[in-house]
Amino acid sequence: MDESPEQLRRDAPVLCSDPRMGLELVDRLVLQLNRIYPQILNDKEAHRFRNLGVPTQVRLADLLEHLRLKGEEACHEFYRGLHIHAEEVYFSLPTREGRREREEPKRTNTVAAQTEGCELNHKGPMFFLSCFSFVVGVAMLYYYREGEASGGPFIRCSAAGLGGGAKSIFISHTWRLEQRKNGRTNTYS
């Protein structure tokens, strides 16, 4: 017997009794199966499973039985849609919990390895901003040193976006740098 239809048979009672499997979720699953996999659920079948005159739990039970009879691919695509649209429901299914327990040793090693590589993540955004600001400051000092670039285009252009007091300081600093570059001394300071 195929694996997915058997899993769906075991999961069906849980899915039908789960209050999270409401009208909207069932409709999304039916529409996904119909639009993406019309060979699994054609238009006529999709219309039948979206009939609002029938209670959602009854439609869901019929849909699950229909998919189980369609075979492995239909069941697999239903599980994939459930995983996409309702991950918490998907992982709470009895067949998924059994798999998770079997795979648990693999996951713990993977999680431990991932945590070791991400130790700085707990520092927060202020740590990132301070590091970024430091790097930008070092880059500005390196590329726009006073002796080499006479303040460079950065200092001259940055005065345009500043307020009155800061703008006058930047402009006077740039003027002094130009004077030094041209060999003139500033007698006004």
Side-chain angles (χ1 to χ4, degrees), residues 31-87:
L31 286 174
Q32 178 178 349
L33 290 169
N34 175 242
R35 290 181 182 156
I36 299 175
Y37 306 101
Q39 71 276 14
I40 293 175
L41 205 61
N42 63 37
D43 290 337
K44 184 179 177 184
E45 294 165 335
H47 182 69
R48 184 178 103 208
F49 295 123
R50 294 188 70 215
N51 182 2
L52 297 179
V54 179
T56 304
Q57 268 44 29
V58 173
R59 288 186 292 133
L60 178 60
D62 289 345
L63 173 67
L64 297 177
E65 183 61 23
H66 175 80
L67 294 174
R68 195 175 70 75
L69 294 174
K70 283 271 187 162
E72 181 76 25
E73 182 185 5
C75 296
H76 178 74
E77 294 307 327
F78 170 78
Y79 279 122
R80 194 171 82 100
L82 187 62
H83 185 237
I84 291 169
H85 296 293
E87 194 172 88

Side-chain angles (χ1 to χ4, degrees), residues 133-152:
S133 299
F134 175 75
V135 170
V136 168
V138 169
M140 286 174 41
L141 286 174
Y142 179 77
Y143 288 110
Y144 300 109
R145 282 184 283 192
E146 190 175 313
E148 285 186 20
S150 71

Side-chain angles (χ1 to χ4, degrees), residues 3-17:
E3 185 178 324
S4 291
E6 178 58 26
Q7 287 178 353
L8 191 58
R9 185 190 62 75
R10 284 186 275 147
D11 288 336
V14 175
L15 286 167
C16 290
S17 64

Side-chain angles (χ1 to χ4, degrees), residues 15 19 26 28-29 32-33 42-43 58 64 72 81 89 96-97 102 106 110 120 131 133-134 162 179-181 189:
L15 286 167
V26 172
R28 278 190 273 160
L29 292 169
Q32 178 178 349
L33 290 169
N42 63 37
D43 290 337
V58 173
L64 297 177
E72 181 76 25
V89 174
R96 297 297 159 203
E97 288 176 351
R102 288 190 304 265
K106 296 176 189 174
T110 307
L120 295 179
C131 290
S133 299
F134 175 75
L162 299 175
Q179 293 298 317
R180 287 184 195 153
K181 182 181 174 186
S189 50

Side-chain angles (χ1 to χ4, degrees), residues 160-177:
L162 299 175
K167 186 184 288 188
S168 63
I169 291 171
F170 267 98
I171 292 173
S172 67
H173 178 71
T174 304
W175 181 78
R176 287 182 186 148
L177 290 174

